[in-house]
Amino acid sequence: MDKLRRFQQSLLGGEEDPEDDFLVESSGYLSLSPLQKLYAFAICLVAGLAFMLLSLIVFARPIKFAVMFSFGNLLAIGSTAFLIGPIQQTRMMLDPVRIYATFVYIITVILALFCALLIHNKVLTLIAMLIEICALIWYSLSYIPFARRMVSELLISCFDTDLS
């Protein structure tokens, strides 16, 4: 309750504790107020979503699509670091519940960019992008309680070919 009150006071221009800032260094140069954190989060998230939406314009060119879409994804996921801090974000990504989804997502982002920028193979880029989108969805579902289990059961029931 005390943190909520301090957050409201800082939004209204009141005093705030520098120890609560997630980017505080020993010199204090990188400290951000809660309002600045919200602005940075919103700007980063909107920029990421804009890149993802603009990537649809160049969908016919898989290489440009992969670069724009991957960059947008990284911006959108990275935006939450402004709210909870980069260390907490890393801890949450490496949580045993989502470590595999995080690993697959990061590898597919790297693979998509590798296929797009170095190999210049459109088919491999599209395959890597599809896997990246699936990994991003699976990673995102890990933050919603029981969502992955429900999606798994739904997919099993949709694709079950057992006729007995």
Side-chain angles (χ1 to χ4, degrees):
M1 187 70 171
D2 187 47
K3 284 188 176 186
L4 179 64
R5 188 177 12 201
R6 283 188 293 183
F7 180 72
Q8 289 173 343
Q9 287 176 347
S10 66
L11 287 177
L12 298 174
E15 293 292 318
E16 64 180 27
D17 291 339
E19 63 186 278
D20 289 339
D21 291 332
F22 76 100
L23 288 176
V24 172
E25 289 187 344
S26 59
S27 60
Y29 289 118
L30 293 177
S31 64
L32 296 173
S33 71
L35 184 59
Q36 290 171 328
K37 291 176 188 180
L38 283 175
Y39 284 149
F41 164 74
I43 290 169
C44 205
L45 181 65
V46 168
L49 293 175
F51 268 100
M52 285 188 276
L53 288 175
L54 290 174
S55 71
L56 297 175
I57 294 172
V58 293
F59 183 73
R61 296 180 162 190
I63 294 170
K64 288 183 181 180
F65 172 73
V67 172
M68 289 182 72
F69 190 79
S70 296
F71 186 65
N73 276 330
L74 294 175
L75 273 175
I77 287 181
S79 68
T80 56
F82 286 104
L83 293 179
I84 61 174
I87 294 172
Q88 181 65 22
Q89 173 78 13
T90 305
R91 282 187 196 135
M92 290 175 69
M93 289 177 77
L94 298 177
D95 189 48
V97 172
R98 63 187 64 90
I99 185 77
Y100 297 115
T102 302
F103 178 73
V104 170
Y105 174 71
I106 290 171
I107 293 299
T108 55
V109 168
I110 293 168
L111 182 64
L113 292 173
F114 180 76
C115 291
L117 298 174
L118 297 176
I119 297 178
H120 299 288
N121 188 325
K122 293 180 180 183
V123 174
L124 288 178
T125 302
L126 282 176
I127 291 170
M129 291 302 300
L130 287 173
I131 297 170
E132 177 183 340
I133 292 168
C134 292
L136 177 64
I137 291 170
W138 195 251
Y139 171 78
S140 299
L141 287 175
S142 71
Y143 285 95
I144 303 169
F146 306 110
R148 293 198 295 187
R149 185 171 61 174
M150 288 185 345
V151 170
S152 296
E153 290 174 3
L154 177 70
L155 289 174
I156 289 170
S157 67
C158 287
F159 296 109
D160 189 16
T161 57
D162 188 21
L163 299 174
S164 50

